[in-house]
């Protein structure tokens, strides 16, 4: 047992993939960097498995800001030789669970519980060399939330999002847009600023309401408890993917298959390079692993902080023909140039959709014209006439989309635009579906409802 880690055994379930898929980035490394060189010099794949486990046997890296679950308790008394302990809930209003299988100490040691009395709080412990003392805090059944999140995720989400959250479940190939690949840690529709990850509230809203206009369904009827557990599991999968990518970044400059080939062409021998890699993996990699963990802790905790949340400096500017006109002017302006992507009438067909782009990794032109997102998929600017807003249609949702951009997509952030101006643009954008003649300000429908009635006949 590594300090600060616990293993959560899932038991045999035949519908699970045996392992989490390995990213293409990892596959671009030399095999020795992927797999390591012996136990003392583990590479990206064994290190990721050490920290996160496999779908059947997850590991909880306690440093990470995941709500792993379990009941926090304080030890009241300890029997001779620590063969049993009596515990009470650490929080005043909490109660003890009916069943308990394990107990985790504050310094990360996991002890199996052989029998449990929910009335008295007495846990008979399996033999171990862990010593207990009255007053110390422990967690009963640590990891229970993650475990149940995983079970629900496999039932409701994995056929689209894949076992590893790589967006590549069996149904995925038929869908456009593709299910999100969580492994970048990038989520599109957030209430956070352009540099922050998604908050738990953002993920909850996505699950409750789905993403209109895509195959992402709404789980409105799901119980809160199940939803919370799934969200922790999605965050866990995102952190796992990001961790793997971070390790690849450490190694790719010197030890990708391509880098090795050119080093060998440059006169080094393969043996020399492998000796250097062995030294790096043995001596430096452990620090990189901890730093990657610290980094993930900071950014994912940050996403739930007040500082990350987008808060308009001025209240919404009331909708009016004048505000919409100002909004349209800004939309067409040279500085913001929304029309370059969305088109002058908002149909999603601006000049940028007709240009051929280069794939930033292979440096080759994409086969199809148009913008591409960080997942390498074609990324069409939204047709604003459709009135379908994937991230929600409340004015504040549209404000966030413009202020922070849509992360991972080609919709940029306009965070330097005065907030009052953003509100004018929001008013304009919300009016586009109802305009008979886009931009003919004299003929703007006076209310959205009137426009909707018109569109209905
Ligand atoms: C039928 C396929 C399907 C199922 C089932 C499904 N999703 Fe999705 N999901 C999608 C698609 C497609 C997208 C991408 C939409 C887009 O890019 O606009 C998506 C996007 C997401 C996002 C990204 C939101 C963002 O802001 O970027 C999250 C989170 C998510 N799904 C979670 C889940 C969870 C959790 C479940 C199970 C409870 C689930 N999905 C089930 C298809 C699915
Ligand atoms: C460089 C191209 C580009 C520019 C410039 C651009 N957008 Fe976008 N926009 C996109 C793309 C691409 C999407 C679709 C992103 C996705 O869902 O993956 C999008 C989506 C949107 C959406 C849909 C949000 C939702 O919830 O569905 C709105 C609204 C929007 N853009 C408004 C604007 C406004 C207003 C401006 C100018 C202030 C602007 N865009 C500038 C590319 C652009």
């Amino acid at each position: 047992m590594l300090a600060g880690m616990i293993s959560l055994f899932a038991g045999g379930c035949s519908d699970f993939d045996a392992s989490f898929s390995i990213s293409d980035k990892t596959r671009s490394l030399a095999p020795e960097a992927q797999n390591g060189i012996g136990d003392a010099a583990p590479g990206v794949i064994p290190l990721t498995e050490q920290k996160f486990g496999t779908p059947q046997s997850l590991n909880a890296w306690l440093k990470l800001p995941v709500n792993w679950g379990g009941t926090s308790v304080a030890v009241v008394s300890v029997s001779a030789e620590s063969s049993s302990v009596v515990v009470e809930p650490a929080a005043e209003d909490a109660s003890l669970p009916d069943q308990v299988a394990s107990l985790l100490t504050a310094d990360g040691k996991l002890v199996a519980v052989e029998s449990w009395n929910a009335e008295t709080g007495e846990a008979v412990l399996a033999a171990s060399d862990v010593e207990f003392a009255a007053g110390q805090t422990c967690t009963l059944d640590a990891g229970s939330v993650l475990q149940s999140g995983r079970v629900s995720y496999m039932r409701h989400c994995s056929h689209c999002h894949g076992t590893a959250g790589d967006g590549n479940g069996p149904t995925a190939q038929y869908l456009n847009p593709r299910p999100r690949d969580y492994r970048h840690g990038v989520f599109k529709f957030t209430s956070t600023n352009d540099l922050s990850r998604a908050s738990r509230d953002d993920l909850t809203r996505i699950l409750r309401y789905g993403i209109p206009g895509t195959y992402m369904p709404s789980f409105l009827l799901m119980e809160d408890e199940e939803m919370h557990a799934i969200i922790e599991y999605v965050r866990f999968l995102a952190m796992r993917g990001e961790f793997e990518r971070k390790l690849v970044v450490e190694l790719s400059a010197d030890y990708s298959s391509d880098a090795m080939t050119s080093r060998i062409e440059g006169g080094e021998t393969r043996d020399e390079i492998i000796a250097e890699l062995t030294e790096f993996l043995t001596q430096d990699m452990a620090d990189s692993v901890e730093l990657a963990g610290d980094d993930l802790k900071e950014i994912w905790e940050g996403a739930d902080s007040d500082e990350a949340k987008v808060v308009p400096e001025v209240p919404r500017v009331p909708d009016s023909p004048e505000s919409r006109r100002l909004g349209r002017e800004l939309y067409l302006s040279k500085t913001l140039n929304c029309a370059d992507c969305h088109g002058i009438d908002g149909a999603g067909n601006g000049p940028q959709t007709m240009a051929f782009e280069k794939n930033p990794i292979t440096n080759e032109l994409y086969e199809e014209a148009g913008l591409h997102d960080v997942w390498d998929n074609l990324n069409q600017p939204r047709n604003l006439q459709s009135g379908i807003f994937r991230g929600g249609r409340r004015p504040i949702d549209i404000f966030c989309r413009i202020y922070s951009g849509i992360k991972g997509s080609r919709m940029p952030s306009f965070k330097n635009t005065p907030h009052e101006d953003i509100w004018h643009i929001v008013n304009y954008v919300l009016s586009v579906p109802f305009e008979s003649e886009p931009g003919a300000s004299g003929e703007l429908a006076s209310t959205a409802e009137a426009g909707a009635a018109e569109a209905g006949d």
Side-chain angles (χ1 to χ4, degrees):
M1 172 70 46
L2 297 155
M5 302 264 315
I6 51 170
S7 301
L8 313 165
F9 296 104
C13 260
S14 53
D15 59 335
F16 286 131
D17 291 345
S19 54
F20 288 127
S21 62
I22 301 300
S23 87
D24 292 346
K25 290 243 185 290
T26 303
R27 295 284 180 220
S28 73
L29 298 175
E32 292 85 351
Q34 293 181 35
N35 302 309
I37 304 145
D39 287 348
V44 173
I45 296 171
L47 284 169
T48 307
E49 192 168 314
Q50 239 178 53
K51 291 300 180 193
F52 294 86
T54 64
Q56 280 97 349
S57 171
L58 304 173
N59 284 348
W61 188 6
L62 297 174
K63 172 190 270 186
L64 298 181
V66 174
N67 173 8
W68 307 104
T71 311
S72 196
V73 293
V75 174
V76 182
S77 63
V78 185
S79 72
E81 279 146 25
S82 290
S83 64
S84 73
V85 292
V86 174
V87 299
E88 63 179 15
E92 262 176 34
D93 51 354
S95 53
L96 291 171
D98 293 338
Q99 288 180 8
V100 172
S102 71
L103 193 153
L104 177 74
T105 65
D107 56 356
K109 297 196 177 100
L110 192 73
V111 183
V113 170
E114 293 196 328
S115 70
W116 166 249
N117 185 329
E119 308 270 284
T120 60
E122 184 178 19
V124 178
L125 304 172
S128 78
D129 53 8
V130 181
E131 285 180 24
F132 289 90
Q136 97 187 64
T137 54
C138 298
T139 310
L140 300 178
D141 281 340
S144 54
V145 166
L146 195 70
Q147 280 291 18
S148 66
R150 187 206 47 139
V151 172
S152 300
Y153 176 88
M154 291 308 294
R155 184 179 310 139
H156 297 294
C157 324
S158 66
H159 60 97
C160 285
H161 289 280
T163 302
D166 57 6
N168 218 356
T171 324
Q173 56 177 310
Y174 308 107
L175 307 182
N176 179 11
R178 306 265 307 183
R180 186 75 64 257
D181 174 355
Y182 308 135
R183 297 173 307 170
H184 297 240
V186 175
F187 294 95
K188 285 184 182 174
F189 304 111
T190 73
S191 61
T192 56
N193 63 42
D194 58 321
L195 301 174
S196 296
R197 296 293 189 275
S199 69
R200 286 182 168 94
D201 286 350
D202 291 333
L203 298 174
T204 308
R205 201 180 40 78
I206 291 288
L207 257 65
R208 283 218 187 300
Y209 303 112
I211 303 181
T214 79
Y215 282 95
M216 171 65 199
S218 137
F219 294 88
L220 202 54
L221 301 179
M222 188 179 274
E223 297 287 340
D224 286 353
E225 202 179 312
E226 184 174 19
M227 192 172 286
H228 289 158
I230 293 190
I231 286 169
E232 293 311 309
Y233 192 64
V234 167
R235 295 170 80 256
F236 170 85
L237 290 176
M239 290 180 215
R240 184 197 164 283
E242 286 184 82
F243 176 80
E244 186 181 341
R245 295 174 73 87
K246 280 173 186 290
L247 296 192
V248 172
V249 169
E250 292 285 310
L251 294 167
S252 57
D254 295 326
Y255 308 107
S256 71
S257 299
D258 290 350
M260 299 257 290
T261 308
S262 52
R263 287 178 72 175
I264 291 168
E265 280 165 13
E268 292 176 79
T269 69
R270 188 172 176 90
D271 285 353
E272 280 164 9
I273 303 174
I274 296 301
E276 184 196 288
L277 171 63
T278 310
E279 193 180 314
F280 184 82
L281 292 178
T282 327
Q283 293 178 8
D284 302 307
M285 209 52 179
D287 282 346
S288 304
V289 164
E290 289 313 312
L291 286 175
D294 292 343
D295 206 22
L296 289 171
K297 177 177 157 67
E298 195 181 317
I299 54 181
W300 279 98
E301 267 175 8
D304 278 316
S305 72
D306 287 345
E307 293 83 72
K309 216 172 158 56
V310 174
V311 182
E313 284 158 8
V314 291
R316 182 184 178 197
V317 176
D319 185 21
S320 69
E322 177 58 9
S323 168
R324 293 178 188 184
R325 194 188 59 74
L326 287 170
R328 176 159 173 82
E329 254 170 37
L330 289 156
Y331 177 94
L332 294 172
S333 68
K334 277 270 173 305
T335 16
L336 304 187
N337 211 355
C338 314
D340 205 24
C341 291
H342 291 280
I344 45 170
D345 56 0
N349 57 0
Q352 290 218 28
T353 62
M354 286 154 220
F356 283 85
E357 288 194 311
K358 264 190 188 164
N359 179 326
I361 295 164
T362 62
N363 239 348
E364 277 163 33
L365 286 182
Y366 284 107
E367 280 169 24
E368 70 282 297
L371 302 165
H372 291 76
D373 60 22
V374 298
W375 298 275
D376 226 13
N377 297 321
L378 188 65
N379 193 213
Q380 296 288 9
R382 195 80 68 251
N383 174 356
L384 300 175
Q385 296 174 358
S386 74
I388 297 170
F389 297 107
R390 294 188 184 167
R393 50 175 309 107
R394 296 172 307 173
I396 184 66
D397 295 328
I398 312 290
F399 186 99
C400 287
R401 294 304 82 76
I402 298 171
Y403 180 85
S404 301
I406 299 179
K407 292 159 200 173
S409 88
R410 296 298 288 281
M411 167 74 192
S413 153
F414 293 91
K415 64 179 170 184
N416 297 323
T417 306
H419 290 194
E420 198 173 320
D421 286 353
I422 298 184
W423 282 126
H424 291 310
I425 304 171
V426 169
N427 288 334
Y428 168 65
V429 165
L430 284 171
S431 78
V432 170
F434 307 109
E435 273 181 43
S436 43
E437 288 283 320
S441 45
E443 290 165 35
L444 283 177
S446 58
T447 64
E449 284 73 27
E454 226 167 71
D457 44 57

